[in-house]
Amino acid sequence: MLPRLLQGPLAAAPLPLPCRLAVARGIRAMSSAAPAPEPAQRSRRPLRGVVFDMDGTLTVPVIDFQAMYREVLGGDAAYAAARAAGGGSVDILHCIEGWAPDKQRHAYEVIARFEKEGLDRLQIMPGASELCGFLDSKRIRRGLITRNVKDAVDLFHQRFGMMFAPALSREFRPYKPDPAPLLHICSTWNIPPHEVIMVGDSLKDDVVCGKRAGAFTCLLDETGRYGPHDSLPEEVKPDFKVSSLTEVFTMLEENFDLAPANLTPASAESRI
């Protein structure tokens, strides 16, 4: 049956048969040429970049941070006081920023020693290589932000052959959880933050950095230490929560439009 094209008094006068057939052919042609997208497709948001944390996200956590913090701060009592002041967590880099130069230099030497020991045991996180290959196949850009040193980032690139650009270490100031490094990466890519997702294993560093920048956020919680997703405070609650990098595949495909997009000249220059 042909659709009613006219309503009211004019509807009583039917179109001639040739006209009706032409209208029907036109409607069928439009329907077959441009089918309406499914509701799920319409709701998916474009994703053009993924920014990763390194330690504990792209690499298996090997640094004993609690032991490092105790040595830097001067023992169990000082460490407990710092935890209490930080609401249960310690931002060691923030703690030592205001120290005297000699004390600060010693603290950085301790941190560097622990990080060096960690580099000797550096291991890639299961699923990291496959995830990067998947993103490359979709022409989705990959960046990295870490509070570790540049030497650690360079070794990571060399050892595992996985390149991230830009890859920002703690030499870039201000570092996470300030949004500056993530905003810098978005600017370099010429991609708005709302088309980027930050993936990391720290609520206070990675998720807060992403939220402040206006990006999507995904918390990697391998051990379940943060509890159920719905139980997290709103100010640090990520958009997504996974227990492994392999779950990121499904999360991205179910929630984002991953159709390859043409790269702008500015973003193409920094792609590796």
Side-chain angles (χ1 to χ4, degrees):
M1 179 180 294
L2 293 176
R4 297 180 60 187
L5 302 178
L6 300 174
Q7 297 182 3
L10 295 178
L15 292 172
L17 179 60
C19 293
R20 296 202 303 272
L21 293 176
V23 170
R25 285 195 297 269
I27 291 174
R28 287 195 298 270
M30 288 187 293
S31 299
S32 61
E38 295 295 326
Q41 292 176 323
R42 289 198 297 267
S43 66
R44 290 180 182 177
R45 297 143 292 190
L47 186 74
R48 299 171 59 197
V50 180
V51 179
F52 294 90
D53 168 54
M54 189 174 77
D55 298 297
T57 301
L58 292 173
T59 62
V60 177
V62 293
I63 297 176
D64 187 341
F65 285 103
Q66 292 186 359
M68 181 176 72
Y69 295 163
R70 287 188 177 92
E71 185 170 344
V72 169
L73 295 170
D76 291 342
Y79 172 58
R83 277 178 55 88
S89 62
V90 176
D91 186 335
I92 196 65
L93 298 180
H94 179 73
C95 286
I96 66 181
E97 277 184 343
W99 290 0
D102 288 346
K103 186 178 180 182
Q104 193 176 85
R105 183 168 51 254
H106 174 70
Y108 281 121
E109 288 173 354
V110 172
I111 293 173
R113 188 180 77 248
F114 274 86
E115 290 175 337
K116 174 62 170 60
E117 294 171 355
L119 291 179
D120 294 339
R121 295 175 286 137
L122 195 64
Q123 301 176 50
I124 194 71
M125 184 70 78
S129 180
E130 294 81 0
L131 179 56
C132 289
F134 171 78
L135 296 176
D136 289 347
S137 72
K138 300 293 185 180
R139 297 179 67 187
I140 295 174
R141 302 182 62 80
R142 295 185 279 113
L144 185 151
I145 303 174
T146 179
R147 286 159 59 101
N148 209 321
V149 293
K150 184 178 181 300
D151 287 346
V153 176
D154 292 342
L155 179 61
F156 171 80
H157 283 157
Q158 294 166 9
R159 182 171 296 181
F160 303 114
M162 300 162 53
M163 301 300 296
F164 294 78
L168 304 181
S169 59
R170 72 164 171 260
E171 286 81 0
F172 182 97
R173 298 292 184 94
Y175 35 70
K176 299 182 296 184
D178 194 283
L182 183 50
L183 292 174
H184 173 81
I185 290 178
C186 292
S187 176
T188 301
W189 287 345
N190 195 26
I191 295 175
H194 64 264
E195 294 184 1
V196 171
I197 188 168
M198 178 76 203
V199 180
D201 69 321
S202 170
L203 282 180
K204 67 181 182 66
D205 292 332
D206 305 316
V207 172
V208 171
C209 173
K211 291 173 76 73
R212 289 177 178 176
F216 290 101
T217 54
C218 176
L219 175 67
L220 173 62
D221 185 10
E222 285 194 293
T223 62
R225 64 180 174 135
Y226 288 112
H229 186 203
D230 292 340
S231 69
L232 297 173
E234 285 299 323
E235 63 271 18
V236 295
K237 188 174 184 179
D239 297 295
F240 307 98
K241 184 173 178 286
V242 297
S243 60
S244 69
L245 289 183
T246 56
E247 291 183 18
V248 177
F249 287 88
T250 304
M251 180 273 291
L252 294 178
E253 289 185 314
E254 289 182 349
N255 294 280
F256 294 97
D257 177 5
L258 305 179
N262 292 328
L263 298 176
T264 63
S267 63
E269 291 175 358
S270 62
R271 184 172 178 85
I272 297 180

